[in-house]
Amino acid sequence: MKKRMAGMLAVAVLWTGLAQAQALMDPAEQMPSKAEADATYLALRGPESFMDRLDADADFVFYLNTAKLIGPVRQEMSALADALKAANFGGPMVGSFMAQVDPVLDWLGFFSIRSVGVSMAPAGEGVSRIKSFIERAEREGNPVMWRLYGEAKPLDTLKYLPEETAAMEVLGLNPATVWAAVEEGVNRFAPGQASGMVAQWKEKLQADYDVDFDALLASLDDEMFMALTLSDSVTMSIPLPGSEPLVIAEPGFLFGVKAQDDSLQRAVLAVLNNRQIPVSEKTLAGGGVLYSVNIPAQMPFPMNVSMLMHEGCLLLGSTPALIERALESYAAGGALVQSEAFQARFPERPARVNALIYMDERFSETYCRLQAALAGMNAHGAGQSPALSAYMDYYVEHLILANRANYYTGYEVYDSFGATSVSFVKTPYGNPLVLGVVSPIAAGFMIGVSTAEKARMASEQMALMEEEYPEEFEGEYDEEIVEEFDTEYYDVDNDDAPLMLEEDVVVEYEYDVDEVIVP
């Protein structure tokens, strides 16, 4: 930062000197052009600035340099762990947990963060562009945070996504790398029983299904995707107690993972065969074999899970028809990515990325209507007060259904600088911070209103009980009631012989007027 400030000061001095000398120059030797001035500034400032990764015309900018933060935080966390251990707060488990916090965070990579930045700028009507980054510090080791993703690349599996895709995420991620990090963490920070359980699970998988888990992971490649489709023509009905059924577009589910061979497919078929689950086969025009399993349970939407190995990618879909539409999309170069809707929601998208996410308005519409229906059932159900119902009407309308037209798209890139994320978000006010501020407050009041109403209803119930049974509610309700009973006890060794006590036994009962009498 000091070098950057010094560079900016030098530029200011240079600019002032040029302005003072302008009157003495010949017309041909006027002030340098903007491009020349920018080049001079960049040369003095250095090759990289945090603002190069953010929007300068943003409505919101946040930047944190951790150079003078991480060291003191680690020091204070160590002191806190020592204090807890000395005070024996929570016993040895708390001390053991605190002793692991620093090494776990270091292993994950939190201490390898040099700086963090976020900006939010308008990017169209109701749309915000949010840029963020995590700058990587030069240090020894290879923390988990920076080893999961490889180099940014074109994500070819995007081509499988049909146009009716409403939400999807594609990751340039290798499952073997993720699992290796999980195993390393277990062996490093939870040795003994936890690591033994993992080994036993692998052995059982090998014994029961003849599946070598490590070899299976090694056969997978570094790209996967998951997607939700919503039909443009077919709907489904979800019954709701006490109200009209909720009608939404029929959903479908699609998953894919790149693989070097068909080991994963063979492993899945082995498990199905071992459990004696019938599998149907269909040979497609291209020669691939489509395997399908009919789910016997009743579902409100079609669920006939299907699997196909195609062009080095294992596809799993909720129906055979969805798998075949994915193949048609792949042959056409990607129905979703070529659609106008997708292009409009990605005004900028590098050809090489590490992750891509997409959720359109159809997804928001369906999700918000489901959420509103569930909230309405709780608010207007039997026994609910008018006050709570009125408040929930506001909550549903302003904080749930107001987001029906939202969409969210974005991508992530990992490089030598660190991790950079760019996303485009459409919200009711064109600023996601609005509901981000109001929603927690409204949720807090909702909890408060609900608690107050429950207390009021309990008080009314108690008053009714007092009117019905006045002799049972004499005195203060919150005092412990002590009664004496003439009780005869028996010797456990001789049930026929009474056990003679030297003094009277007092039996205490606590009366919970809201529930039942509990001895």
Side-chain angles (χ1 to χ4, degrees):
M1 287 295 294
K2 291 182 178 179
K3 292 182 178 179
R4 292 173 182 168
M5 293 296 295
M8 295 175 68
L9 180 60
V11 170
V13 172
L14 176 62
W15 195 268
T16 304
L18 290 171
Q20 293 176 348
Q22 184 178 8
L24 302 177
M25 293 182 182
D26 295 332
E29 298 177 352
Q30 291 297 317
M31 292 285 292
S33 66
K34 184 178 184 302
E36 294 172 335
D38 288 345
T40 303
Y41 169 71
L42 290 172
L44 290 170
R45 186 206 60 190
E48 186 88 50
S49 166
F50 72 88
M51 283 308 298
D52 293 339
R53 304 252 168 172
L54 304 177
D55 281 318
D57 58 343
D59 296 329
F60 169 83
V61 176
F62 170 82
Y63 174 74
L64 172 66
N65 188 322
T66 64
K68 296 183 179 181
L69 175 67
I70 290 179
V73 166
R74 297 183 74 174
Q75 181 178 341
E76 287 300 320
M77 289 295 292
S78 177
L80 173 61
D82 293 340
L84 290 173
K85 184 176 180 180
N88 197 29
F89 284 156
M93 290 187 63
V94 172
S96 176
F97 170 79
M98 290 300 299
Q100 293 280 32
V101 170
D102 186 90
V104 168
L105 294 179
D106 187 33
W107 174 74
L108 289 173
F110 282 92
F111 301 143
S112 67
I113 297 175
R114 173 178 291 167
S115 65
V116 177
V118 182
S119 70
M120 183 181 68
E125 185 175 356
V127 181
S128 299
R129 178 175 55 246
I130 301 175
K131 293 184 176 182
S132 62
F133 70 80
I134 301 176
E135 184 181 4
R136 180 178 182 177
E138 295 293 338
R139 64 190 302 268
E140 296 181 358
N142 189 20
V144 173
M145 181 185 298
W146 308 114
R147 76 170 88 141
L148 294 181
Y149 287 96
E151 293 184 1
K153 64 173 187 174
L155 300 177
D156 296 332
T157 55
L158 276 171
K159 293 188 289 187
Y160 286 110
L161 301 177
E163 191 168 0
E164 67 262 32
T165 301
M168 66 83 179
E169 185 171 16
V170 186
L171 300 171
L173 198 64
N174 193 319
T177 305
V178 178
W179 181 255
V182 172
E183 275 199 311
E184 180 185 333
V186 170
N187 294 330
R188 192 168 179 176
F189 303 109
Q193 185 177 1
S195 57
M197 290 175 61
V198 174
Q200 291 175 7
W201 176 76
K202 288 184 178 182
E203 292 173 0
K204 182 174 177 56
L205 193 64
Q206 178 78 53
D208 292 350
Y209 307 111
D210 193 25
V211 173
D212 186 333
F213 184 73
D214 293 325
L216 182 65
L217 281 178
S219 72
L220 302 181
D221 219 328
D222 57 353
E223 188 174 337
M224 64 178 69
F225 74 87
M226 58 197 76
L228 167 71
T229 63
L230 292 173
S231 174
D232 296 329
S233 56
V234 183
T235 61
M236 59 171 281
S237 179
I238 302 177
L240 298 175
S243 60
E244 294 294 323
L246 178 65
V247 179
I248 63 172
E250 183 181 272
F253 305 95
L254 191 63
F255 171 82
V257 57
K258 278 196 168 184
Q260 301 173 27
D261 54 45
D262 63 346
S263 296
L264 180 56
Q265 179 176 256
R266 287 188 283 106
V268 173
L269 291 174
V271 172
L272 295 174
N273 180 65
N274 181 276
R275 294 177 177 268
Q276 298 183 346
I277 299 176
V279 178
S280 62
E281 300 181 13
K282 177 183 178 181
T283 302
L284 303 181
V289 179
L290 181 63
Y291 299 93
S292 300
V293 178
N294 189 26
I295 305 297
Q298 290 187 350
M299 304 285 287
F301 53 88
M303 182 58 71
N304 190 11
V305 180
S306 302
M307 175 175 61
L308 173 73
M309 192 72 188
H310 177 266
E311 298 289 339
C313 182
L314 180 65
L315 299 174
L316 293 173
S318 53
T319 64
L322 183 54
I323 293 285
E324 295 190 44
R325 289 200 300 275
L327 297 182
E328 294 172 0
S329 173
Y330 186 88
L336 175 66
V337 294
Q338 293 178 357
S339 66
E340 293 183 4
F342 186 89
Q343 298 291 339
R345 287 157 184 75
F346 269 109
E348 59 178 78
R349 179 170 64 91
R352 296 177 176 273
V353 296
N354 291 99
L356 201 69
I357 189 169
Y358 174 87
M359 293 183 288
D360 66 9
E361 293 92 336
R362 294 174 302 151
F363 174 82
S364 296
E365 167 83 14
T366 304
Y367 176 78
C368 290
R369 289 180 60 208
L370 281 170
Q371 192 178 10
L374 294 175
M377 287 171 55
N378 294 330
H380 300 287
Q384 294 292 356
S385 70
L388 181 59
S389 297
Y391 185 81
M392 284 303 298
D393 288 341
Y394 153 78
Y395 191 89
V396 168
E397 186 66 29
H398 287 260
L399 301 179
I400 297 179
L401 293 179
N403 296 295
R404 292 168 65 176
N406 290 5
Y407 71 73
Y408 178 88
T409 63
Y411 63 85
E412 293 181 10
V413 175
Y414 285 74
D415 54 22
S416 58
F417 175 85
T420 303
S421 171
V422 178
S423 55
F424 298 88
V425 186
K426 182 181 180 183
T427 53
Y429 297 96
N431 188 333
L433 293 179
V434 175
L435 295 184
V437 171
V438 176
S439 293
I441 299 174
F445 275 107
M446 181 175 65
I447 296 173
V449 170
S450 177
T451 303
E453 285 302 306
K454 288 180 179 179
R456 182 188 62 79
M457 293 171 66
S459 177
E460 292 178 355
Q461 184 181 14
M462 184 186 299
L464 291 173
M465 292 176 64
E466 184 177 1
E467 292 178 4
E468 188 73 19
Y469 307 102
E471 66 278 2
E472 300 291 339
F473 288 87
E474 296 178 358
E476 297 294 334
Y477 305 133
D478 57 349
E479 290 184 358
E480 184 178 53
I481 302 175
V482 180
E483 297 183 1
E484 295 187 5
F485 296 89
D486 186 9
T487 306
E488 189 174 34
Y489 294 86
Y490 288 86
D491 191 339
V492 295
D493 296 327
N494 187 358
D495 291 341
D496 295 330
L499 178 64
M500 305 303 296
L501 302 178
E502 297 181 358
E503 57 184 15
D504 294 336
V505 176
V506 178
V507 181
E508 298 182 359
Y509 283 78
E510 293 183 3
Y511 286 74
D512 186 343
V513 296
D514 291 331
E515 302 292 341
V516 295
I517 298 178
V518 181

